[in-house]
Amino acid sequence: MLARLNPMQLLRFAGLFTWGCMGVPLLIDLFQQDISGSDLIWWRVCYLTFGVCYWLLTRPPGAGPRTRWLHLPLLGVLTLSAIGIGHFTGTGLSGAFLIVIAGLLPWFLSLGWGLVWLIAQHSALIPVFLQIEGFDWISAPLQAMLLFGYSSFVFLTSLVARRQMDAREEQRRLNSELRATRALLAESSRLNERSRISRELHDLLGHHLTALSLNLEVATHLSDGKAREHIKQAQSLAKLLLSDVREAVSQLRQDDAIDLREALFTLVDGVPSLEVRLDVPPDFRISDPHRAQMLLRATQEIITNAARHSGAARLDLRIASDAGGVLLEARDDGRGADAVQAGNGLRGMRERVAEFAGTLEIDTSPGQGFALRLHLPVETPA
């Protein structure tokens, strides 16, 4: 069971388990100490607040309402709760809770800001230790520094786990892009092979059957009796065979389109950190391989931007056909921006859309995510 959990899920269970275990000795110890009623209430409030904030911070992206904008305030409340536990109980248990927080920091802050947060929260331990009997201005900073060493080890271990998970997700995403491209190439190869076969049937077999029918027509005028009857029968068979060849060629050309569903769903399955909802018609086909490739690359770029840059937890993709071509609509729930800063990916998408006389519209604003609407004209939409 544990092998199927990702590092964030393991961190969630480990932190909540540690939180529960640290509360047991504290409760037992309180029955043996003379703690005022107000301090008793406040340490319980801090202890429960710590558990609730930790549970909210470590929820998976699709487990409930979006709380990404609350990550930083929740980290602040989590740290204050840990320090409050030590302050109201008169113990050094705050250091143990701060070690648990150190494992969370790499998942929500950059390396630099994570180190700043780590130093700040352990510096706040010095006044807590000073109120404990036996600590002075020398021993209190030393004790805080000792706990800072433990927290630094947990912080770096969690940072390595975060980077390894990011690398695995990136590898999975690239593999899905490779499989989607391979599926598109297979469809293109199938399309090219069907076109080649239809041309060969039409140009070679059809030509020879037409010539055979004409020669049999001449032979009927140069023969009589039973020989003429057999020649007419052969001519009828030649015409029937020519009709069958033309029907086969027509059927081959009617199915002369690329099925993009498999490639699109393969592309979506390779993004575990992002919930992608893809809406595609049951029989979605495009006759032009170049347009099909352009649509696949545009979808790939949208997914990459949502997973890497927008901080989104969910992406909605809708692809539909109309009388004028193909419509691709995308919207994520990321942080958005005041204005669109087109990187190489978006610039390349605009250039590819312009090659086919398509249109690309982008809408974004702070806190409203990123929305894109792409219309690609297709000569023979399915």
Side-chain angles (χ1 to χ4, degrees), residues 148-169:
F148 176 76
Y150 292 139
S151 296
S152 298
F153 178 78
V154 174
F155 177 83
L156 293 176
T157 303
S158 185
L159 179 64
V160 171
R162 171 66 188 271
R163 290 183 173 179
Q164 286 183 344
M165 193 183 79
D166 289 344
R168 285 196 298 269
E169 289 186 357

Side-chain angles (χ1 to χ4, degrees), residues 211-225:
L212 176 61
S213 179
L214 292 175
N215 281 279
L216 290 174
E217 178 69 24
V218 173
T220 57
H221 297 290
L222 299 178
S223 59
D224 53 10

